[in-house]
Amino acid sequence: MEDRTKITVDVVSDVACPWCFIGMKRLQRAVVETPEIEVAVRWRPYQLDPSIPPGGLPRKAYMLQKFGSEERLREIHDRIVPLGAVEGIRFNFDGMTVSANTLDAHRLIRWAASEKAPEGAQGQVVQRLFEVNFEEGGDIGDRAVLAELAGEAGMDAGLIEALLASNADIEAVQEEIGTAARMGIRGVPCFLLEGKYAVMGAQETETLADALRQIAAAKGRGELDKGE
């Protein structure tokens, strides 16, 4: 049997972004639709609003300040909800009470990719953060919630709780966010294929699948190694 071409996809995203949740689901489907390609997904941090305080803000007041009116906010939600439903997402915007600062969530995502974490932990943690935030109305800025999600993914919840109480990897995460900005990434999700080619936004599943096929074909021809 012929070996599958291996591709790395770095997803720059924020777990406070509903479009990133949709993008995650579409990428998952694209991977399923391209079984001839071995896709390694890595999650990279981005913060839509790093100015939110560590304890978060009341979501309704925060969103009204951001978008100006309940009518405008309802229009946005009404556009996103059916798109999410197609991907199996049950957006529950009315059930969300907190707009969280996601820095700690990104620290957890980083640790979930470490050698000490179980295989697949990062993807599981990212998905659960999206679900807790957008479907279950949980506070993904709450360190107890983050430690619980780490435990669900097979990580050491006690260790994660201790790390979250420290300053561990805060600078590293912020530096990664800064790197994304210097690369010109101004919106998320952004899918970086083989570290060279960017697909911006929550593109349709077929668009992502086509991008995977094109990059795999180019890699198979040795073009990526030559920088073409």
Side-chain angles (χ1 to χ4, degrees), residues 166-186:
S166 74
N167 292 326
D169 282 340
I170 288 178
E171 288 188 8
V173 170
Q174 290 174 331
E175 176 59 29
E176 268 204 85
I177 293 170
T179 297
R182 288 190 294 273
M183 291 173 64
I185 297 173
R186 297 289 181 266

Side-chain angles (χ1 to χ4, degrees), residues 2 7 15 33 39 51 55 58 66 71-72 76 92 119 121-122 129 138 141 145 163 169 191 198 200 202:
E2 188 174 340
I7 287 183
V15 285
E33 290 183 10
V39 183
S51 72
K66 186 174 182 179
E71 290 76 17
R72 174 62 177 148
I76 293 169
N92 180 22
E119 185 176 354
Q122 190 183 52
L129 284 165
V145 171
L163 287 171
D169 282 340
F191 304 91
M200 300 297 299

Side-chain angles (χ1 to χ4, degrees), residues 94-115:
D94 290 337
M96 298 174 66
T97 59
V98 178
S99 287
N101 183 300
T102 56
L103 181 61
D104 281 345
H106 286 302
R107 288 203 286 163
L108 172 57
I109 293 168
R110 179 184 180 89
W111 299 328
S114 72
E115 292 181 358

Side-chain angles (χ1 to χ4, degrees), residues 21 25 126-138:
F21 194 1
K25 291 286 192 176
V126 169
Q127 178 157 329
R128 286 295 294 135
L129 284 165
F130 280 128
E131 291 170 350
V132 168
N133 189 40
F134 288 111
E135 296 183 330
E136 301 170 19

